[in-house]
Amino acid sequence: MTDVKITKDVIYDPTHQLPTDIYTTEVVTAQSPAIIIIHGGGWFRGDKSKESDLAEILAEEGYFTIVPNYRLAPKDLFPASRDDIETVYTWLKHSDYTFNHSKIAAVGASAGGNLSGELALKFGIPAVSWSGIFDLYDWVTKHPDVVAEPDTKQDATVLASAQIDQDGAHDAFYKWFVLNYVNGDLDQLKEADPIQRVSAKSGPIYFANSLNELVPISGVQKMQDALSQAGVPTISQYLTGARHGKAYQADVLNNTLDFFKKALQ
C-alpha cells in the first residue's frame, strides 16, 4: 500500500477563507488525473473530514485528490455552495500542483452528488453522483401536501456519512432541506435545478441511487434523459434497499473507479 500524504486546510478561496484538504502519493506524476471529492449533507451540514476514507482510496489509486469545504445554508443560500465548488475547480486547474491539469473529475454523495454534477454540466468534466439531489423545483411543487420538517432523530455532526439517513424515503425531511437551500424561495429553487444547465458540452456522469432511499430516483431519471437527449453518455446503477450515498460505497466503488479510469484516459 502506498503511503498517502495529507495536507490539511489549504485555502482555495481567500475571500471566504474556504479550505481544502489535499491527498497525494509518490506515484502521482504530471500525467496523473485529479479528483475533487465533494461532501454531502443537504447543503446545510457536513465537512470535508468525513470524506477522508474515500480520499485515501483515490489517492492510493494514483489520483491527486482534494476535498474542499464550501459555504452552507441557511447562512449562505444557493448559489453559494455551487459558486464555491466552481471556485475550487478553477483554483485547482490553475494551481502549481503536480498532476495533469487537463484531466480533472469530481465525485460526491447526496448534496455532493448534486454539486459534482454541476461541475460536469458547466465544465464538461466527468463526474460521479451517489444519491445526488437533482429533483428540486418539480418535486416540491408536485408534493404540496408534504409538510417540510427537519430530521431531529439523528445528530449528523457525530455520525459517519454512511450512517446518516438510512431509513428510506423521508419526504418531509427531503422537502425541508431542499427548501432550506433557498430559504423557501421557489424562484430560486427553479434556478437551482441542474437539469436546465444540461448541454451537449456537459461531461459524462455516472449516477448511483438506491431504489427506496431518502433521495428519489426521479432526479436521476430526469437528468439521464436530458443528458441522453443532449448526446452526453451516462451510466446509472440502481441498488436495492434504502441505503443513501456513502452507505453503499463498497457496492459502487469498483464501478466508480472503472468510470474514472475510462473517462480520464
Side-chain angles (χ1 to χ4, degrees):
M1 183 176 292
T2 305
D3 289 337
V4 178
K5 177 185 177 183
I6 306 172
T7 306
K8 294 190 174 183
D9 297 325
V10 177
I11 300 299
Y12 72 86
D13 181 350
T15 301
H16 300 103
Q17 284 295 295
L18 293 171
T20 187
D21 294 342
I22 298 173
Y23 296 71
T24 189
T25 69
E26 61 184 13
V27 301
V28 173
T29 70
Q31 302 307 312
S32 301
I35 296 180
I36 304 168
I37 304 177
I38 309 170
H39 75 76
W43 304 288
F44 74 97
R45 64 188 181 194
D47 183 82
K48 56 187 173 59
S49 62
K50 292 192 174 185
E51 302 300 330
S52 60
D53 58 334
L54 179 58
E56 292 197 22
I57 290 170
L58 292 176
E60 288 170 355
E61 289 288 329
Y63 295 105
F64 184 87
T65 306
I66 73 168
V67 191
N69 273 349
Y70 52 89
R71 287 173 290 170
L72 301 174
K75 180 181 177 182
D76 294 291
L77 302 171
F78 172 83
S81 60
R82 190 189 70 189
D83 289 348
D84 295 342
I85 295 305
E86 291 177 358
T87 296
V88 81
Y89 168 81
T90 303
W91 170 85
L92 176 63
K93 188 169 181 64
H94 296 287
S95 71
D96 294 328
Y97 291 107
T98 299
F99 69 92
N100 188 333
H101 291 241
S102 66
K103 294 185 177 181
I104 301 175
V107 57
S110 196
N114 165 281
L115 294 170
S116 67
E118 290 278 19
L119 288 182
L121 300 183
K122 179 164 185 174
F123 297 108
I125 67 171
V128 170
S129 166
W130 300 344
S131 300
I133 306 164
F134 294 110
D135 200 353
L136 306 178
Y137 179 84
D138 194 46
W139 190 95
V140 167
T141 55
K142 287 181 178 178
H143 292 80
D145 295 333
V146 174
V147 178
E149 295 179 352
D151 183 1
T152 59
K153 297 179 180 179
Q154 304 181 83
D155 184 358
T157 61
V158 297
L159 284 176
S161 295
Q163 297 175 322
I164 296 172
D165 304 318
Q166 301 307 315
D167 297 329
H170 189 171
D171 286 354
F173 180 46
Y174 183 79
K175 190 172 187 178
W176 179 85
F177 68 71
V178 167
L179 289 173
N180 184 66
Y181 192 32
V182 296
N183 194 32
D185 186 332
L186 292 183
D187 289 335
Q188 274 294 87
L189 189 61
K190 184 180 293 186
E191 177 58 29
D193 254 316
I195 195 167
Q196 64 193 297
R197 288 180 279 281
V198 170
S199 75
K201 295 181 179 180
S202 299
I205 302 179
Y206 161 50
F207 299 97
N209 221 95
S210 291
L211 290 168
N212 298 292
E213 63 151 288
L214 174 69
V215 175
I217 63 172
S218 56
V220 172
Q221 294 169 333
K222 291 172 183 177
M223 284 290 290
Q224 190 166 35
D225 183 58
L227 286 162
S228 296
Q229 290 185 34
V232 179
T234 61
I235 298 171
S236 62
Q237 180 178 0
Y238 295 113
L239 299 100
T240 58
R243 291 174 299 168
H244 173 67
K246 291 195 70 177
Y248 53 71
Q249 176 174 302
D251 290 339
V252 299
L253 182 59
N254 286 340
N255 287 343
T256 295
L257 294 175
D258 186 59
F259 172 82
F260 281 141
K261 183 178 180 179
K262 293 176 180 177
L264 293 168
Q265 285 180 341

